[in-house]
Amino acid sequence: QSALTQPPSASGSPGQSVTISCTGSSSDVGGYNYVSWYQQHPGKAPKLMIYEVSKRPSGVPDRFSGSKSGDTASLTVSGLQAEDEADYYCSSYADGNVYVFGTGTQVTVL
Amino acid sequence: EVQLVESGGGAVQPGGSLRLSCEASGFTLSNSWMSWVRQAPGKGLEWVANMQPDGSEKYLESVKGRFTMSRDTAKSSVYLQMNSLRTDDTALYYCVRRAYTAFYTWGQGTMVTVSS
């Protein structure tokens, strides 16, 4: 199972929006509505931000939103804040009852 | 409060073995979907293994036959027995509780270093 493809980096100024893509195939992203997104600050464990493509766990700000079209999922962070600077990973359930993560995107708040 | 605490990591030579433990609290282990996810130094996340409430397991292809995930519901713990370790198994190993087919709650991780 190959890793899902994410851009290595993304950036935006405070208050702006940034969108991160996550491209897979019909065997994972395109085949299931089980895409999730994780935020990871340096030295910390990942934190779930979005599950089932677009749902937010309790406590996650509504500045974070998710969507999917075909084999590509996206995470949008609106109203960027300094604390949003982190690495972001997507993940998808895949054929064969396995999971695959994305390559990761480093988000910088300018 | 849901909490996961990993232990058992360390340094081992190639071909060696380690057993990771994950002590769970704040939820019923026997009803839960559990996973191990690893992260090599400076690299991304990689799913390693799953265990479903019925005890069935699933593994990343590259660890199949070498790693075994198990649980002891009486001790509210899950384990990852790692045999025939390779240098590319070097990583921080996270114990994770899954929900809604997502990796919902993460432990802080335990580091495994495979080196001669």
Side-chain angles (χ1 to χ4, degrees):
Chain A
Q1 192 73 31
S2 300
L4 307 175
T5 300
Q6 297 180 232
S9 63
S11 62
S13 299
Q16 289 187 332
S17 294
V18 65
T19 297
I20 304 165
S21 61
C22 169
T23 301
S25 69
S26 59
S27 299
D28 38 62
V29 175
Y32 306 92
N33 287 323
Y34 294 138
V35 176
S36 50
W37 290 90
Y38 303 85
Q39 177 191 66
Q40 186 178 34
H41 288 110
K44 300 294 187 181
K47 175 187 176 183
L48 177 67
M49 305 302 284
I50 296 286
Y51 67 97
E52 293 179 358
V53 176
S54 59
K55 298 177 182 178
R56 280 187 310 276
S58 173
V60 172
D62 59 7
R63 303 184 292 104
F64 292 85
S65 62
S67 62
K68 191 186 88 166
S69 178
D71 296 342
T72 298
S74 298
L75 173 72
T76 297
V77 186
S78 306
L80 266 175
Q81 299 182 6
E83 60 261 35
D84 299 333
E85 186 161 295
D87 293 329
Y88 291 83
Y89 295 90
C90 62
S91 178
S92 176
Y93 178 81
D95 288 351
N97 193 21
V98 299
Y99 285 82
V100 60
F101 280 94
T103 50
T105 299
Q106 184 175 55
V107 169
T108 301
V109 180
L110 301 172
Chain B
E1 180 193 4
V2 172
Q3 197 169 8
L4 299 166
V5 179
E6 303 95 335
S7 60
V12 63
Q13 292 188 335
S17 299
L18 276 177
R19 188 196 194 207
L20 307 184
S21 299
C22 170
E23 186 172 349
S25 58
F27 65 98
T28 303
L29 189 62
S30 59
N31 297 337
S32 298
W33 285 259
M34 300 297 295
S35 295
W36 288 94
V37 174
R38 68 186 180 184
Q39 187 170 32
K43 302 296 184 182
L45 301 171
E46 183 176 51
W47 167 77
V48 174
N50 279 349
M51 177 169 277
Q52 298 187 169
D54 65 2
S56 61
E57 307 143 52
K58 196 74 176 181
Y59 298 95
L60 176 70
E61 195 63 36
S62 63
V63 308
K64 206 175 291 185
R66 300 188 298 122
F67 290 12
T68 302
M69 186 173 180
S70 62
R71 68 184 178 187
D72 184 334
T73 54
K75 294 183 178 180
S76 196
S77 292
V78 294
Y79 307 97
L80 187 67
Q81 177 67 45
M82 304 186 296
N83 299 329
S84 302
L85 281 162
R86 310 186 310 212
T87 55
D88 61 355
D89 294 318
T90 293
L92 184 63
Y93 283 74
Y94 292 103
C95 174
V96 189
R97 180 192 185 204
R98 284 186 296 127
Y100 308 108
T101 62
F103 300 98
Y104 211 91
T105 307
W106 298 65
Q108 286 306 302
T110 186
M111 187 67 201
V112 172
T113 302
V114 185
S115 172
S116 54

